[in-house]
Amino acid sequence: MILPGFLFVLIYSYGPMAGLIIAFKKFLPSKGIFGSPWIGLDNFRFLLSLPDTFQIVYNTIIIALLKIAAGLIVPIVVALLLNEVRKTAFKRTVQTLVYLPHFLSWIILGGILIDILSPSQGIVNTFIGWLGVKPIFFLGSNDWFRFTLVVSDVWKEFGFSTIVYLAALTSINPVLYEAAEIDGANRWKQTLHITLPGMLPIIVLLATLSLGNILNAGFEQVFNLYNTAVYETGDIIDTYVFRIGIQKAQYGLATAIGLFKSVISLVFISLSYFLAYRFANYRIF
């Protein structure tokens, strides 16, 4: 049963790693990967000398951290609210509706967001215009672009995380709630002293594992929503690699950037698994 997954990872994840040597070469397509001349660490030195490098890394980390924080808080709140719903049909309907955006690609959602956030005809700006507020260029303003990325990402993914927290709630012993009611605890105190502590292990686990995505700010989302006007706050490592490697054909530099990101991500992933084992007793093997 493991064989198909093993072959998939071997072919598409480990096989392409041979191409990482391009980061240490002046890659010439006519000579191929192994025929191109070695240039050592020149690509990395050039990368560190670029004025945009540190801004792009900063953008990536900030956007990723905001997504991680919002992606933890919103599902927890929604799961707690749904847990208080007593009508099963309504609860399941809401669960299904908030889960559906998870299955839509960012190509589809990008087109939808571009339409509804349009400063001239978008439904959002039309509504705030009724309130006397000037139109906001959500996808073309450096002041609003990161906010738009975080909100749209949470809207797409919080339904999936909510299911995980609802599953954690089912493991809490109902006897604890009965004892709390006898002692006079209201729903808020029950949530504070029983529900949240019962969810704490899964919260800690997901929070620590999310550190592995600290340099993954979401290529598909950013690529489908950003433009030259918001490069200052919206350009991330993955989109920069795409422009440098695919559009400008600087394959060596793009590979160097990707390798730099992979090494840093490996450190964060190792740290996240250590923290997950330390605080949530989570082990891979």
Side-chain angles (χ1 to χ4, degrees), residues 67-106:
K67 286 183 177 181
I68 290 172
L72 285 173
I73 295 172
V74 173
I76 292 173
V77 173
V78 174
L80 291 174
L81 293 175
L82 284 176
N83 189 51
E84 299 299 318
V85 176
R86 293 294 172 259
K87 292 188 177 295
T88 305
F90 177 77
K91 182 178 180 179
R92 290 180 177 175
T93 301
V94 173
Q95 281 182 252
T96 302
L97 291 176
V98 300
Y99 188 45
L100 283 177
H102 173 75
F103 297 99
L104 298 178
S105 71
W106 275 112

Side-chain angles (χ1 to χ4, degrees), residues 46-57:
F46 182 64
L47 168 64
L48 295 176
S49 68
L50 291 174
D52 297 333
T53 299
F54 294 101
Q55 181 64 42
I56 290 167
V57 173

Side-chain angles (χ1 to χ4, degrees), residues 34-215:
F34 300 102
S36 299
W38 290 92
I39 58 173
L41 299 176
D42 286 356
N43 282 324
F44 294 92
R45 295 190 186 100
F46 182 64
L47 168 64
L48 295 176
S49 68
L50 291 174
D52 297 333
T53 299
F54 294 101
Q55 181 64 42
I56 290 167
V57 173
Y58 175 78
N59 291 342
T60 304
I61 294 175
I62 289 296
I63 293 172
L65 286 176
L66 290 174
K67 286 183 177 181
I68 290 172
L72 285 173
I73 295 172
V74 173
I76 292 173
V77 173
V78 174
L80 291 174
L81 293 175
L82 284 176
N83 189 51
E84 299 299 318
V85 176
R86 293 294 172 259
K87 292 188 177 295
T88 305
F90 177 77
K91 182 178 180 179
R92 290 180 177 175
T93 301
V94 173
Q95 281 182 252
T96 302
L97 291 176
V98 300
Y99 188 45
L100 283 177
H102 173 75
F103 297 99
L104 298 178
S105 71
W106 275 112
I107 296 176
I108 297 173
L109 291 180
I112 294 173
L113 288 172
I114 290 172
D115 285 338
I116 67 176
L117 297 178
S118 170
S120 57
Q121 300 177 345
I123 186 173
V124 174
N125 276 300
T126 299
F127 175 75
I128 64 176
W130 294 340
L131 303 177
V133 180
K134 293 182 179 179
I136 300 173
F137 203 169
F138 291 98
L139 300 178
S141 170
N142 284 307
D143 295 329
W144 286 95
F145 188 70
R146 287 178 185 165
F147 170 81
T148 305
L149 287 178
V150 174
V151 172
S152 58
D153 181 74
V154 171
W155 169 70
K156 181 178 185 295
E157 300 295 344
F158 84 93
F160 179 82
S161 300
T162 298
I163 293 176
V164 176
Y165 291 117
L166 286 173
L169 288 172
T170 61
S171 64
I172 300 176
N173 193 339
V175 174
L176 297 175
Y177 293 103
E178 296 174 3
E181 287 183 12
I182 294 174
D183 290 338
N186 56 28
R187 295 301 298 177
W188 167 247
K189 289 185 177 180
Q190 292 178 34
T191 299
L192 193 62
H193 297 289
I194 299 175
T195 307
L196 285 177
M199 296 173 64
L200 190 58
I202 192 66
I203 294 174
V204 172
L205 174 62
L206 294 180
T208 52
L209 291 181
S210 64
L211 289 177
N213 293 319
I214 197 70
L215 292 183

